[in-house]
Amino acid sequence: MDISPETLVSWFLHSLSPEPLPRRNAEASLAAAADRPGFAIALLQLVAAPAVEEQIRLAAAVHFKNHLRSRWAPSSSAAEESAAPSPPAIPAPEKEQIKGLIVSLMLSAPPRVQPQLSEALAVVSSHDFPQSWPSLLPELVTSLRNAAAADDYRAVNGLLGAATSLFSKFRISFDNNALRLDLKYCLDGFAAPLLEVYLKTSRLIASNVAGPPETLRPLFESQRLCCEIFHSLNSIELPEFFEEHMREWMTEFLAYLGTAYSPAVEAEGTLDALRASVCENLQLYMEKNEEEFKDYLNDFASTVWKLLMTPGSSPSRDQLTVTAIKFLTTVSTSVHHSLFGSPEVLQRICSSIVFPNIRLRDEDEELFDMNYIEYIRRDIEGSDIDTRRRIACELLKGIALNYKDQVTTLVSMQIQEMLKVYAANPSENWKEKDSAIYLVVALAPKAGSSGGYLVDVESFFTSVIVPELQDQDVNASPMLKAGALKFFTVFRDQIPKQAVLALLSHLARFIISESNVVHSYAANCIEKLLLVKDKVSVPGSNVVSLTPRYGAVDINPFLPQLMTNLFNALQFPESQENSYVMKCIMRVLGVGNLSSEVAAHCVSRLALVLTEVCKNPRNPTFNHYLFESIAALIGRSCEKDQALVPVFEASLFPVLQKILVDDVTEFWPYAFQIFAQLVEMSKPPLSDSYMQLFLVLLSPESWKRSGNVPALVRLLQAYLQKVPNELKNEGRLHQVILISINLISVSRTEELGFYVLNTVVENLSCEIVAPYFKEIWSAIFTRLQSRRVVKFVKSLVIFMSLILVKHGPNVLVDSIDALQQGLFMQILQPFWIPNLKLISGATEIKLALVAATRLVCESPILLDPSSSEIWGKMLDSIITLLARPDQFSGELENGEPDIPETVGYSAAFARLHYGGKKEEDPLKEIRDPKEFMVTSISRLSASSPGRYRTVIEKCVDPANQSALLQLCTTYNCSIV
């Protein structure tokens, strides 16, 4: 490669610069150089150069690892998804050079650089090992034995780290024959050397039990890595080698859990990290090899109990506690649960393991104050399974599966004792109350389960939770307030409506608590309350519907205070992009009835927030809820008061236009959806600003980014509905037709193309559209030749149905036959008739039924006696569709979606629920499509007595004949 090492050093140095310009220039230079042959080797040589500064070597190692990830085996499918060319792969000779160098360079690299090269080795091995890299495993084994013989534990641990990465695929990959062949190869080559090193290191540790931490640290790390490899090699099933040597492994496992080392060593994180890995292996054997492991179980269970009761201060004590309790939890739910059955053992587990671990610690308080996002992630987002508090409760739940009454009694007594201690001195003993609340919440049965509650929820809420919520000082005892709000949220279904309404003003107050956790929990509580639904029986039927418990009437009295506090909460430090607060704003705006003044204030505040996030869109979840809030506000306020439309335009247009001008690509799909809403709310004629946007919309350039396309279609539909006559000018309709044809030609956008065509047909007269039918049908039927999938054909059936109901059967048939004589009948029999019965969705079914009915009753081509059989088959499909119980999927009860937390930016489109297009019924004049079909067929049969009855008896399925007769009886008509 013609780039000098000095130049590479300079680039990496500048890539670490805090200044954006030199950093971007250096990154651009590195990206350009990546396409040249020899670049990876040049990076590896730089990483290996001892004279180069370590931070440069580390940066080069990271870049090398990432270079291998993208170019060792470039993914063509990923390139297709991103619409970008696939990066050139590393040439084969260069790959062989890398494989020949990487192991030795990893061993000689500095400690900070070594893990990066180990990961790079794992990247290569994931593609090439073992088939295309047969020399790797023998090289690792030889180097490992040599390093172990020389007691060179820096090299030993480097090699074991590489092997850990190499074998991790056996934990995470789907089990198949190819994977098992790879596992056998690895077991044959590595299982014995692994045990040799493990036992040798164990002997060294045993002879240095009283040794200093610096002597034992690399030995413990070596054993931890051996345990990680043990886990990987045993993940699929118990290998024969490990079954034969189980006693050697288990003896050492037990020793590490049960041996007491010096206080200095016990305080070392490496020892507890090793113990945590041992516990993970014990759990693996309990889950997968319980029969073979049962002889060791008693010793391990008692040793783990003792270990958990022994206090420790190492950095890895949390990890050890969690993994150890997980192991005991697995035992408690197995056939060996009797180990926990005696009252003494249950008491010891609860008093010495569970209850101490659910108490708040200093680290929890620090996290609460210093990193509220991580605290919330662990506490209420379901990511707390690996915290001491949560895993201790999981152990209780595990034991309660077989000893429910005993556990309930012990826990209930503990809760009462905690509350009693708190009551004796609230300011000093507030953590006792926090623990009591946590226990009740954590042990609440999941929705749909049959388990009961530990306490009387309503009574506990009234006596323990309400006093916290009524406290006038929203900043006092913030962790207790957070616990109370969490309880309120979890048990929201069980708390009576009147009790909730009495506390809504208090919840609104907590939104301006200075604690980020407290105002986040308050916002989350209100948002979740507005999703609560009650089952309500429909009078005179067995149908049960879900109705919102709280509506606009309930929250309107609090709306001004609530909205003011929510927007003020976004001013707190670190809460400027608080997703919980913004989601609450979204939900309140979607439910409440805002006055014009409050609505105008809200849109100006939302526009200000949007202006700020446009500068650096870093929180996808917050930003999605922000746009949902804007969409909800437009939908509920502008529809009610048209005078607000110009007010909203004045606030939103500047920032929406800025998104387009400044190319804030993450927000383009959102901006187009908001524009679509505003277009729909406006009265024609549209302003010049809208018409300029319309011209941009028709430009082919606007449609090149795939993530924008659904939003652009949504906006185009809005224009077609609002100002259809504008399409007559300057060839705009042809531009729209070309856009729809291009969309139909690609599988992922074909449905969107039909949406555009449907809107054109709905909103323009036949005279305007007719000149383009030939071009439209030609594109559709060309595509149909290679795209005969149900999804495409159903879209085609809907499109043809829409033309038929808008312009009549003759227009539909003649426009298709104009392309090729007799083509309509060629489409009807293989495509329309069999797929008609598959149509779904209320509006679509109605449209398809009415169109098909008109076709068989009005179209000369089908009424011709020579088409009797096709006529009968079409009627059979109509009756099948009518008789099918319609199940509408994806409809949201009461229009309030529980939008997921994990929305993000990607090539995929993020649809705004509150900005969705309102579905229009093109057949409002027909209330009952069943009645329309039966009466139409009855009138037709009356015109030719006996003829159609004969066709029905011959071509229609007997079950459908019965259904038709039943419908005739229902609607008082007949087939003659």
Side-chain angles (χ1 to χ4, degrees):
M1 187 175 177
D2 56 356
I3 297 174
S4 68
E6 293 76 18
T7 301
L8 272 178
V9 168
S10 172
W11 286 347
F12 279 113
L13 187 62
H14 285 108
S15 75
L16 301 173
S17 171
E19 297 297 323
L21 185 59
R23 185 176 68 248
R24 286 174 187 158
N25 289 339
E27 289 168 352
S29 298
L30 286 166
D35 291 340
R36 304 187 203 177
F39 180 69
I41 295 296
L43 289 176
L44 205 51
Q45 290 169 342
L46 183 62
V47 172
V52 175
E53 194 176 340
E54 187 173 317
Q55 69 166 350
I56 302 296
R57 295 174 71 182
L58 178 59
V62 172
H63 200 87
F64 173 73
K65 173 188 69 180
N66 293 332
H67 181 75
L68 296 189
R69 278 182 177 153
S70 62
R71 293 168 186 263
W72 195 270
S75 169
S76 56
S77 60
E80 286 172 15
E81 287 295 322
S82 64
S86 180
I90 298 170
E94 193 173 337
K95 286 184 176 181
E96 293 306 314
Q97 278 185 277
I98 291 168
K99 289 193 282 192
L101 292 170
I102 193 167
V103 173
S104 58
L105 290 181
M106 180 192 69
L107 294 177
S108 61
R112 290 174 63 207
V113 176
Q114 195 174 67
Q116 299 299 327
L117 291 180
S118 179
E119 287 185 41
L121 186 150
V123 170
V124 177
S125 66
S126 68
H127 297 289
D128 287 20
F129 178 79
Q131 286 80 7
S132 301
W133 199 356
S135 63
L136 175 59
L137 194 62
E139 183 180 1
L140 287 177
V141 169
T142 301
S143 300
L144 181 62
R145 281 176 165 151
N146 291 340
D151 289 343
D152 181 0
Y153 272 86
R154 182 176 171 278
V156 166
N157 292 348
L159 290 159
L160 290 174
T164 301
S165 299
L166 197 66
F167 301 143
S168 63
K169 70 176 183 178
F170 300 121
R171 295 195 193 197
I172 60 177
S173 301
F174 288 110
D175 186 11
N176 55 47
N177 289 336
L179 189 71
R180 285 177 175 257
L181 285 173
D182 287 355
L183 175 59
K184 183 180 184 307
Y185 173 80
C186 294
L187 287 166
D188 291 346
F190 204 82
L194 176 68
L195 181 59
E196 289 172 22
V197 172
Y198 185 73
L199 294 176
K200 172 183 166 52
T201 309
S202 292
R203 290 192 293 273
L204 284 174
I205 291 172
S207 62
N208 285 280
V209 169
E214 55 270 19
T215 300
L216 290 171
R217 188 182 304 128
L219 303 179
F220 286 142
E221 175 62 10
S222 175
Q223 299 301 71
R224 184 191 70 79
L225 290 168
C226 287
C227 286
E228 293 288 331
I229 296 170
F230 177 98
H231 195 292
S232 294
L233 296 179
N234 282 269
S235 287
I236 295 177
E237 64 180 8
L238 177 60
E240 185 179 344
F241 180 88
F242 284 95
E243 185 173 5
E244 291 172 353
H245 295 276
M246 191 182 293
R247 183 158 300 280
E248 289 117 302
W249 283 100
M250 296 302 156
T251 300
E252 303 307 323
F253 284 173
L254 193 63
Y256 294 132
L257 295 175
T259 302
Y261 296 89
S262 69
V265 172
E266 289 285 351
E268 279 280 307
T270 48
L271 174 56
D272 278 347
L274 166 59
R275 288 167 170 167
S277 287
V278 168
C279 289
E280 286 180 351
N281 288 334
L282 300 182
Q283 185 178 343
L284 175 70
Y285 266 48
M286 269 302 300
E287 290 174 346
K288 295 208 167 191
N289 311 307
E290 187 177 330
E291 182 63 28
E292 294 85 355
F293 181 64
K294 66 183 179 183
D295 293 341
Y296 304 94
L297 183 56
N298 282 347
D299 288 341
F300 276 114
S302 61
T303 304
V304 169
W305 287 342
K306 292 174 185 173
L307 185 61
L308 285 168
M309 293 174 194
T310 306
S313 59
S314 84
S316 295
R317 178 57 61 152
D318 277 0
Q319 182 191 7
L320 169 59
T321 301
V322 167
T323 54
I325 294 178
K326 274 185 180 179
F327 165 64
L328 293 183
T329 303
T330 303
V331 176
S332 74
T333 58
S334 73
V335 296
H336 305 284
H337 60 78
S338 57
L339 289 171
F340 300 87
S342 71
E344 297 78 16
V345 171
L346 282 173
Q347 177 66 46
R348 281 183 67 197
I349 289 175
C350 287
S351 61
S352 301
I353 297 176
V354 176
F355 299 146
N357 278 299
I358 63 151
R359 285 192 166 85
L360 281 172
R361 295 172 301 142
D362 292 343
E363 298 94 308
D364 299 317
E365 293 184 71
E366 184 178 340
L367 194 67
F368 184 94
D369 292 329
M370 305 302 293
N371 189 348
Y372 86 95
I373 293 174
E374 178 61 19
Y375 182 90
I376 293 173
R377 186 187 71 81
R378 294 182 182 184
D379 191 43
I380 67 170
E381 288 188 3
S383 301
D384 61 345
I385 193 68
D386 287 338
T387 64
R388 287 190 180 205
R389 291 190 119 188
R390 168 52 58 192
I391 203 64
C393 287
E394 290 300 312
L395 176 57
L396 265 187
K397 289 178 183 178
I399 299 171
L401 287 176
N402 296 291
Y403 307 100
K404 181 179 178 181
D405 292 342
Q406 298 95 313
V407 169
T408 300
T409 300
L410 286 168
V411 174
S412 298
M413 289 172 57
Q414 181 65 26
I415 289 171
Q416 294 306 315
E417 179 62 25
M418 288 170 168
L419 293 175
K420 184 178 176 182
V421 172
Y422 165 77
N425 191 340
S427 60
E428 287 294 321
N429 300 332
W430 65 270
K431 290 184 182 180
E432 297 295 315
K433 183 174 183 179
D434 174 86
S435 296
I437 294 172
Y438 187 89
L439 263 176
V440 176
V441 171
L443 297 179
K446 293 181 180 177
S449 65
S450 58
Y453 296 104
L454 283 173
V455 297
D456 180 320
V457 171
E458 200 170 333
S459 172
F460 191 89
F461 180 73
T462 302
S463 60
V464 178
I465 303 301
V466 169
E468 293 298 331
L469 300 178
Q470 291 178 336
D471 186 350
Q472 292 303 303
D473 187 353
V474 297
N475 296 314
S477 305
M479 296 195 85
L480 267 186
K481 299 293 190 295
L485 288 164
K486 180 182 174 184
F487 182 99
F488 198 170
T489 306
V490 169
F491 294 101
R492 60 191 179 276
D493 288 337
Q494 281 73 45
I495 299 169
K497 181 174 181 176
Q498 289 309 312
V500 172
L501 293 179
L503 290 167
L504 272 181
S505 61
H506 294 290
L507 289 179
R509 285 190 305 109
F510 280 108
I511 288 173
I512 52 170
S513 165
E514 293 173 0
S515 164
N516 295 88
V517 174
V518 172
H519 64 242
S520 298
Y521 280 21
N524 183 58
C525 184
I526 293 170
E527 191 269 325
K528 291 290 186 283
L529 282 169
L530 294 180
L531 286 176
V532 173
K533 295 179 176 66
D534 292 321
K535 292 181 179 179
V536 178
S537 298
V538 178
S541 73
N542 295 324
V543 177
V544 176
S545 66
L546 291 174
T547 305
R549 185 180 295 178
Y550 308 98
V553 173
D554 300 307
I555 66 170
N556 279 350
F558 311 100
L559 264 182
Q561 176 198 14
L562 192 52
M563 296 312 302
T564 298
N565 289 0
L566 284 166
F567 282 115
N568 287 343
L570 294 175
Q571 307 301 313
F572 284 114
E574 297 183 34
S575 255
Q576 291 91 341
E577 296 185 22
N578 187 313
S579 298
Y580 295 97
V581 173
M582 187 51 72
K583 192 176 186 183
C584 186
I585 291 173
M586 173 199 78
R587 189 73 64 211
V588 171
L589 292 177
V591 173
N593 290 327
L594 278 68
S595 67
S596 298
E597 294 76 17
V598 174
H601 175 70
C602 287
V603 76
S604 66
R605 293 293 296 265
L606 289 169
L608 287 173
V609 174
L610 180 55
T611 302
E612 283 303 307
V613 299
C614 280
K615 296 174 183 176
N616 182 17
R618 59 177 181 241
N619 186 337
T621 305
F622 175 85
N623 295 333
H624 185 84
Y625 295 146
L626 169 58
F627 280 102
E628 285 282 11
S629 300
I630 294 170
L633 188 57
I634 294 171
R636 289 187 66 83
S637 299
C638 293
E639 199 170 79
K640 188 173 65 175
D641 184 359
Q642 275 283 318
L644 281 172
V645 174
V647 176
F648 276 49
E649 290 173 348
S651 290
L652 294 172
F653 256 53
V655 63
L656 293 175
Q657 288 171 332
K658 182 178 175 62
I659 288 169
L660 302 182
V661 171
D662 292 354
D663 198 19
V664 186
T665 55
E666 300 95 326
F667 290 170
W668 274 40
Y670 292 124
F672 290 136
Q673 291 175 85
I674 299 299
F675 272 129
Q677 272 192 293
L678 292 171
V679 168
E680 288 171 346
M681 295 292 173
S682 301
K683 290 183 177 178
L686 297 181
S687 68
D688 290 342
S689 297
Y690 283 119
M691 295 317 299
Q692 287 171 9
L693 179 62
F694 186 38
L695 296 179
V696 173
L697 176 62
L698 295 179
S699 164
E701 284 294 315
S702 302
W703 297 80
K704 287 186 175 179
R705 291 176 182 164
S706 60
N708 294 338
V709 170
L712 289 169
V713 167
R714 167 89 176 83
L715 179 55
L716 182 54
Q717 287 180 291
Y719 276 108
L720 293 175
Q721 289 173 313
K722 192 61 63 171
V723 285
N725 291 330
E726 289 291 334
L727 293 174
K728 298 176 185 176
N729 306 324
E730 302 170 12
R732 290 172 185 167
L733 179 55
H734 192 235
Q735 289 176 278
V736 172
I737 299 301
L738 290 177
I739 287 169
S740 64
I741 287 173
N742 288 335
L743 293 174
I744 286 172
S745 67
V746 179
S747 58
R748 71 172 179 270
T749 59
E750 61 193 10
E751 203 168 24
L752 297 173
F754 278 111
Y755 290 167
V756 176
L757 290 178
N758 292 344
T759 312
V760 167
V761 169
E762 280 187 81
N763 293 280
L764 277 76
S765 67
C766 186
E767 293 74 23
I768 296 174
V769 182
Y772 301 96
F773 273 139
K774 189 171 184 178
E775 188 174 4
I776 292 169
W777 292 128
S778 177
I780 289 175
F781 295 140
T782 300
R783 178 71 174 158
L784 186 61
Q785 289 178 335
S786 60
R787 184 71 178 162
R788 299 192 177 195
V789 296
V790 171
K791 178 183 168 186
F792 184 88
V793 177
K794 283 167 64 176
S795 295
L796 174 57
V797 169
I798 293 297
F799 177 56
M800 291 192 294
S801 300
L802 195 58
I803 294 176
L804 192 150
V805 300
K806 285 292 181 182
H807 306 307
N810 290 342
V811 169
L812 174 64
V813 175
D814 293 346
S815 67
I816 293 176
D817 281 351
L819 193 65
Q820 178 185 315
Q821 190 58 39
L823 182 59
F824 177 78
M825 293 299 280
Q826 294 177 38
I827 296 298
L828 181 67
Q829 194 160 358
F831 296 111
W832 194 335
I833 292 175
N835 285 284
L836 175 63
K837 63 189 76 171
L838 302 178
I839 300 298
S840 58
T843 303
E844 289 82 359
I845 289 175
K846 181 181 179 182
L847 172 64
L849 282 170
V850 172
T853 300
R854 287 189 60 186
L855 188 64
V856 296
C857 293
E858 300 175 24
S859 173
I861 196 169
L862 275 180
L863 294 175
D864 189 291
S866 63
S867 301
S868 293
E869 185 177 350
I870 296 176
W871 186 95
K873 289 180 179 178
M874 186 66 158
L875 181 61
D876 188 65
S877 274
I878 293 171
I879 301 168
T880 300
L881 182 58
L882 266 178
R884 193 188 72 201
D886 187 33
Q887 298 177 5
F888 304 115
S889 59
E891 289 193 6
L892 295 150
E893 282 135 359
N894 313 299
E896 290 305 317
D898 190 10
I899 297 167
E901 308 288 347
T902 53
V903 291
Y905 304 137
S906 68
F909 167 67
R911 185 179 76 88
L912 293 175
H913 165 78
Y914 288 110
K917 181 178 181 292
K918 290 185 179 177
E919 193 170 27
E920 296 289 337
D921 182 358
L923 296 165
K924 296 185 183 73
E925 69 279 7
I926 298 175
R927 296 185 59 188
D928 186 346
K930 293 182 180 180
E931 181 181 16
F932 178 82
M933 187 277 287
V934 176
T935 54
S936 297
I937 297 295
S938 178
R939 281 196 303 269
L940 180 65
S941 72
S943 66
S944 301
R947 174 186 164 188
Y948 292 101
R949 190 178 191 93
T950 301
V951 175
I952 291 169
E953 290 172 352
K954 180 181 177 183
C955 300
V956 175
D957 182 88
N960 282 343
Q961 291 182 39
S962 299
L964 180 59
L965 291 174
Q966 181 63 47
L967 286 168
C968 286
T969 303
T970 302
Y971 292 104
N972 195 28
C973 55
S974 61
I975 310 296
V976 296

